[in-house]
């Protein structure tokens, strides 16, 4: 027999009615949903291991898309509701589209996430010999805290286009039997001078040199014996010569795989979660989207980390061109499709860090396990450079999340005037489209080992699915 519930005081009733409450998402969902979230994240962790570069993410996403009935987009065709296509943007970005029941006059629903991540790119003349070692010169890509990239196992991924135009795909350091690479740092015993540097200068850009070999090619007539030996190994494996580095895109990334973090396995630690932690849920949402009302699109884009530049970044016209093409084929003005489309700019946000609470406004920060985070505006100083989503659109997205059991929260990227950042939302907004940032909170963002919560990853998928349904 249950005890009679104590009647709530008037103040308590008013408090519940009028005031916001915030609660750990794991206390709001049942055990079944936590199990579903954990299972979803197994697929996500595999995707992280398979796709450490933008090109690898495109390849992995196309394989999943084709397995789910998606066909390459044919710009000369008119498509019927329910048909599923993908458009490969120069091998580095990808558009997936499921045609909706409604006319394109109504616009489309777009999920936009990025698949490039901070890393160390090889320079055009990378390989050199120094003090009986062969090393690679790098130039970091995106916002990297350089001191985090030394003394860890590193892998080499990418493509080389030889002088005859033939392509070589490189992936060394991921297989259990592969060697890995690393960047050296000083021993504490001899680091007195280095330790006086500021943290941002602790390791300098020109010190991010990757160790690639140590054994000489024995021939007294050769001056750079270790470099030659490394080139010989590369030539035997890939048929390349030193000049082929000029037309290559080779990326140094952490060699370790995605791991469960914590005794309760509630967190995921991995490289490249910014922004594959939104790209994978967006991809899955569209792959599993059957017969949506409005045409549903996922854009997995390159170059966000360096400003969305170039023909594979969202500051180019590639998304507009795709929308124009489907509009033309449906005899609808492209500007009508674009103007009536709505977009979730799906990108990560900074999770509240218990060790560095001072960088956050605790009332407006996002927290791990509190769900998908909506960020009305990003930018720096006075919201400079951001898309500030309209209250009308935020209201609509809020209702979709609430009506569909999505655990979600709001976020702002750190304290005012402390720093800041931007996303693709600004470029999508500039197309004349409603857009708001939503994404997964991340600890140690841009580090070699970024941390997310499994519940939040699953809530991203749930929220994105509800938005495009
Ligand atoms: Mn990002
Ligand atoms: Mn980023």
């Amino acid at each position: 027999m249950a005890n009679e519930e104590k009647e709530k005081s008037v103040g308590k009733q008013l408090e519940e009615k009028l005031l916001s409450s915030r609660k750990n998402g794991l206390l709001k969902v049942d055990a079944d949903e936590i199990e579903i979230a954990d299972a979803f994240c197994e697929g996500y962790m595999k995707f992280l291991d398979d796709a450490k570069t933008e090109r690898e993410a495109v390849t992995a996403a196309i394989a999943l898309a084709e397995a789910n009935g998606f066909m390459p987009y044919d710009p000369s065709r008119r498509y019927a509701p329910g048909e599923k296509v993908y458009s490969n943007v120069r091998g580095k970005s990808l558009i997936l589209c499921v045609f909706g029941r409604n006319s394109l006059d109504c616009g489309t629903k777009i999920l936009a996430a990025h698949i490039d991540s901070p890393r160390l790119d090889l320079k055009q003349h990378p390989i050199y010999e120094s003090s009986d070692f062969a090393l690679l010169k790098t130039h970091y890509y995106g916002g990297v805290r350089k001191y985090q990239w030394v003394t860890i196992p590193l892998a080499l991924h990418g493509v080389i286009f030889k002088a005859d135009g033939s392509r070589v795909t490189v992936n060394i350091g991921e297989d259990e039997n592969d060697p890995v690479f690393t960047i050296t740092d000083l021993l504490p015993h001899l680091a007195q001078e280095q330790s006086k540097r500021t943290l941002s200068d602790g390791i300098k850009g020109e010190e991010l040199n990757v160790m690639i070999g140590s054994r000489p090619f024995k021939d007294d007539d050769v001056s750079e014996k270790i470099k030659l030996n490394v080139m010989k190994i590369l030539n035997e494996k890939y048929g390349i010569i030193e000049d082929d580095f000029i037309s290559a895109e080779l990326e140094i990334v952490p060699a370790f795989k995605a791991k469960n973090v914590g005794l309760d396995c509630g967190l995921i630690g991995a490289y490249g979660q910014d922004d594959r932690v939104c790209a994978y849920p967006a991809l899955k949402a569209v792959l599993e989207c059957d017969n949506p009302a409005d045409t549903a699109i996922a854009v997995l884009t390159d170059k966000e980390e360096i400003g969305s530049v170039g023909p594979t970044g969202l500051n180019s016209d590639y998304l507009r061109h795709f929308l124009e093409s489907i509009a033309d084929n449906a005899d609808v003005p492209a500007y009508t499709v674009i103007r009536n489309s709505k977009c979730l700019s799906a990108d990560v946000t900074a999770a509240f860090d218990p060790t560095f609470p001072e960088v956050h406004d605790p009332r407006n920060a996002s927290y791990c396990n509190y769900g998908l985070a909506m960020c009305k505006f990003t930018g720096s100083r006075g919201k400079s450079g951001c898309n500030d989503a309209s209250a009308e659109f935020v209201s609509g997205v809020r209702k979709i999340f609430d009506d569909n059991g999505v655990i979600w929260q709001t976020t702002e990227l750190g304290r005012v005037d402390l720093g800041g950042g931007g996303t693709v939302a600004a470029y999508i907004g500039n197309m004349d489209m409603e857009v708001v940032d939503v994404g997964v909170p991340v600890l140690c963002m841009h580090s070699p080992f970024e941390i997310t919560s499994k519940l939040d990853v699953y809530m991203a998928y749930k929220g994105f699915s509800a938005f495009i349904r």
Side-chain angles (χ1 to χ4, degrees), residues 9-66:
S9 68
V10 177
K12 188 74 194 165
Q13 290 175 44
L14 259 186
E15 181 189 49
E16 285 179 6
K17 186 177 166 192
L18 300 183
L19 302 189
S20 305
S21 68
R22 191 155 55 186
K23 197 171 169 184
N24 187 311
L26 291 161
L27 302 174
K28 295 180 179 175
V29 299
D30 59 22
D32 287 350
E33 189 147 36
I34 294 173
E35 209 172 291
I36 292 168
D38 289 352
F40 180 83
C41 287
E42 283 176 27
Y44 168 52
M45 290 166 79
K46 183 174 184 315
F47 183 79
L48 285 171
D49 292 342
D50 290 346
K52 289 193 177 179
T53 68
E54 57 285 347
R55 287 178 189 267
E56 289 170 356
V58 167
T59 303
I62 288 176
L64 289 171
E66 288 183 341

Side-chain angles (χ1 to χ4, degrees), residues 94-283:
L94 184 68
I95 300 171
L96 302 114
C97 175
V98 182
F99 288 89
R101 304 189 301 276
N102 295 337
S103 160
L104 278 171
D105 284 315
C106 305
T108 66
K109 296 277 177 57
I110 300 176
L111 304 169
H114 69 92
I115 48 176
D116 62 319
S117 296
R119 67 203 184 224
L120 310 179
D121 286 344
L122 294 198
K123 294 192 185 191
Q124 301 318 105
H125 289 290
I127 187 163
Y128 70 103
E129 178 169 331
S130 178
S131 313
D132 290 290
F133 290 106
L135 299 112
L136 297 170
K137 295 298 296 180
T138 66
H139 193 136
Y140 63 95
Y141 170 99
V144 161
R145 305 194 77 192
K146 300 180 226 24
Y147 72 88
Q148 295 176 337
W149 290 72
V150 299
T151 70
I152 58 169
L154 298 167
L156 180 65
H157 292 232
V159 294
I160 302 166
F161 286 88
K162 295 195 270 189
D164 65 2
S166 61
R167 173 194 168 121
V168 175
T169 302
V170 176
N171 184 317
I172 310 172
E174 299 297 339
D175 189 272
E176 276 305 302
N177 300 314
D178 279 357
V180 296
F181 311 102
T182 199
I183 296 169
T184 59
D185 192 9
L186 281 176
L187 59 169
H189 318 65
L190 297 178
Q192 280 186 35
E193 290 302 318
Q194 185 201 34
S195 297
K196 289 177 194 156
R197 298 180 184 177
T198 59
L199 190 56
S200 64
D201 257 351
I203 298 290
K204 297 177 183 174
E206 294 291 354
E207 292 170 343
L208 291 171
N209 302 319
V210 178
M211 194 66 81
I212 189 173
S214 59
R215 291 188 170 182
F217 183 91
K218 284 187 190 168
D219 184 335
D220 287 341
D221 289 344
V222 174
S223 57
E224 296 187 304
K225 299 178 180 60
I226 298 167
K227 174 177 165 179
L228 180 66
N229 196 47
V230 165
M231 274 315 307
K232 180 171 171 285
I233 294 169
L234 287 172
N235 181 264
E236 284 165 3
K237 194 171 166 69
Y238 297 116
I240 59 163
I241 61 171
E242 186 178 1
D243 274 348
D244 291 330
F245 283 116
I246 292 168
S247 46
E249 285 174 11
L250 292 166
E251 308 178 10
I252 296 285
V253 296
F256 33 76
K257 298 203 183 306
K259 288 281 188 186
N260 291 318
V261 173
L263 281 176
D264 50 21
C265 297
L267 304 172
I268 297 167
Y271 164 71
Q273 297 204 70
D274 175 8
D275 181 37
R276 291 176 197 117
V277 74
C278 296
Y280 181 77
L283 171 66

